[in-house]
Amino acid sequence: MSLTLCVQHSFCRAAKWSARRAAIFAAIGLGMTVVGNSANAQRPVLPGTGSEIVGVADDFEDPNWGYVPNNPKSTEDIDENQRQPLGKSTNGRWYEGIKRGHPDIVKRVDTPKGGLSGSKGSLLLQSKMTGIPGRPEGKMHQDDFICNVQYRLKRRLSVSEVPSVTTRVFLPPVDQWEDRSGPHFGFRLALETTAMVEKETGFFGMKREEMGNEIYWPGMFLEFENKSQTGKPHDYAYWRIRSNRRGADFRGPQVTTTGWWTLGMSVTPDGMVHYYASPGVDDLTEDDYITSQFPYDYRAERFRTFFYNVCSADNGRNWSTAFIVDDPKVFVLRPRGGQRVARTPSSKSRR
């Protein structure tokens, strides 16, 4: 592990934030919602609580795991070009994001040292051209790698089922990160709610607002402040949380160690999103709690899926930081009748 990041507020396993400390942090002018102080909020649910849903997510243990990119990739967010057919994994559990396309490298690799006990395979995600294929813009873009939860289940999960997601992610030594300040990696949910949405009327492209289904994507990003660009004596990294009720991102815990991290998010029946992070591969605990939010002032009603973001400068020369993910899992605390679930939650000791 590399410890070349600036150490100001240690977030190591020996001195992690407690839920109380997180609540105090949230109260200091960051616009967060503190669960204990909200009459309309429910108690956070630890990600991984309940039973794992069978047939979604992945452990990347199959030596024949593969991905069919179907390039060139989609860049609907930039030029409205979807470039179908979309990329997909050979096991049917992952697909290219139609909005931003997939990472340039999606490859099963040997699990780095310190990973989950018994894990032989993990997944490398890395990109150089995160924008329009063959047309680098020299500004940050991102690719999506989406888990095929909604379509494999043939439905969305209701928040009454209390869904949650956990994943492990390997952060390489800092001297191997892309030489750029800004977001490098994201772990996010795709949620739905009922809200005012803008729709075309069909007359001369006119639009109007009406109540409809709104999709939004809360999550957490690995944010890097590069000393060569900031002029500070040290590099600095932290988890940036998306988002508070005003739709603004805010600083979460500092990253003071590389190597493996465990991330998780849960959604409670009140529509609130709860965020957790911890260095290492141990299952999350209450001490790993960061914050609870109604992102964009939305109350989630349905859970569609989760996905990863890979970000780069899109300058045609530099590769993004090489991130490796492993063992993403989807859980429900109150499974709907007929839902296939494992009898016990998956963990590092039950691979």
Side-chain angles (χ1 to χ4, degrees):
M1 292 186 179
S2 170
L3 294 174
T4 59
L5 292 169
C6 174
V7 180
Q8 293 181 349
H9 299 289
S10 179
F11 192 71
C12 63
R13 169 63 69 177
K16 296 181 296 183
W17 288 7
S18 66
R20 174 61 179 163
R21 186 177 179 187
I24 294 172
F25 186 94
I28 306 177
L30 293 179
M32 301 185 193
T33 300
V34 182
V35 171
N37 296 336
S38 175
N40 297 320
Q42 297 175 342
R43 181 178 177 81
V45 171
L46 185 67
T49 301
S51 299
E52 179 195 343
I53 298 180
V54 174
V56 300
D58 215 332
D59 60 11
F60 312 113
E61 290 303 292
D62 182 357
N64 297 316
W65 194 101
Y67 186 75
V68 181
N70 291 324
N71 287 321
K73 60 188 174 185
S74 178
T75 52
E76 185 184 40
D77 64 321
I78 302 173
D79 61 357
E80 300 184 356
N81 195 331
Q82 295 185 355
R83 298 191 182 89
Q84 298 197 42
L86 301 177
K88 59 183 178 181
S89 64
T90 53
N91 65 6
R93 299 194 178 199
W94 302 90
Y95 62 92
E96 172 186 355
I98 197 168
K99 187 177 182 68
R100 288 185 284 258
H102 52 227
D104 295 334
I105 296 177
V106 178
K107 180 182 178 182
R108 182 184 181 272
V109 296
D110 293 340
T111 299
K113 183 179 179 180
L116 285 162
S117 176
S119 176
K120 302 297 183 183
S122 299
L123 194 69
L124 169 65
L125 302 174
Q126 191 174 21
S127 283
K128 179 188 290 183
M129 305 291 291
T130 47
I132 299 172
R135 290 171 49 189
E137 289 191 87
K139 64 180 183 180
M140 195 279 292
H141 287 297
Q142 56 189 304
D143 291 324
D144 294 340
F145 192 63
I146 303 177
C147 191
N148 192 9
V149 177
Q150 175 185 356
Y151 301 109
R152 287 182 68 85
L153 293 179
K154 297 182 173 57
R155 70 179 184 91
R156 294 155 294 182
L157 297 172
S158 168
V159 297
S160 65
E161 298 173 78
V162 197
S164 66
V165 182
T166 61
T167 191
R168 274 75 180 185
V169 56
F170 181 80
L171 314 185
V174 178
D175 59 7
Q176 297 177 23
W177 291 19
E178 183 187 3
D179 190 22
R180 172 184 61 83
S181 291
H184 283 230
F185 173 85
F187 173 52
R188 303 169 71 183
L189 306 180
L191 303 177
E192 294 180 359
T193 192
T194 302
M196 294 297 295
V197 296
E198 197 175 67
K199 294 186 177 181
E200 291 191 10
T201 63
F203 296 99
F204 308 106
M206 296 179 64
K207 297 181 180 180
R208 61 183 177 136
E209 284 195 343
E210 60 182 55
M211 294 299 292
N213 189 58
E214 178 78 351
I215 304 172
Y216 63 110
W217 304 276
M220 57 185 83
F221 289 88
L222 180 63
E223 189 83 7
F224 185 47
E225 295 180 358
N226 188 339
K227 64 183 180 182
S228 66
Q229 294 176 332
T230 64
K232 297 179 180 179
H234 301 284
D235 294 317
Y236 186 90
Y238 61 94
W239 294 108
R240 176 161 60 87
I241 307 301
R242 177 162 296 176
S243 67
N244 63 20
R245 297 186 89 136
R246 298 188 299 274
D249 293 359
F250 56 87
R251 286 179 182 254
Q254 183 185 352
V255 175
T256 60
T257 181
T258 53
W260 285 102
W261 278 71
T262 301
L263 309 178
M265 288 177 281
S266 64
V267 188
T268 40
D270 59 353
M272 199 171 217
V273 182
H274 311 275
Y275 305 76
Y276 293 73
S278 174
V281 294
D282 290 342
D283 292 341
L284 294 167
T285 71
E286 297 294 348
D287 285 341
D288 303 319
Y289 171 82
I290 301 172
T291 186
S292 297
Q293 298 292 323
F294 292 112
Y296 309 99
D297 208 21
Y298 291 154
R299 292 177 180 265
E301 298 172 5
R302 293 166 297 279
F303 171 99
R304 295 169 64 97
T305 189
F306 70 92
F307 59 103
Y308 301 107
N309 282 146
V310 173
C311 310
S312 82
D314 191 41
N315 58 18
R317 302 183 306 276
N318 299 336
W319 282 91
S320 71
T321 306
F323 293 102
I324 296 174
V325 298
D326 195 16
D327 216 47
K329 302 291 184 185
V330 180
F331 300 84
V332 283
L333 180 58
R334 302 170 186 165
R336 181 183 294 182
Q339 180 66 62
R340 288 202 309 151
V341 296
R343 290 188 179 276
T344 56
S346 177
S347 74
K348 62 183 179 65
S349 61
R350 304 189 192 98
R351 285 188 62 88

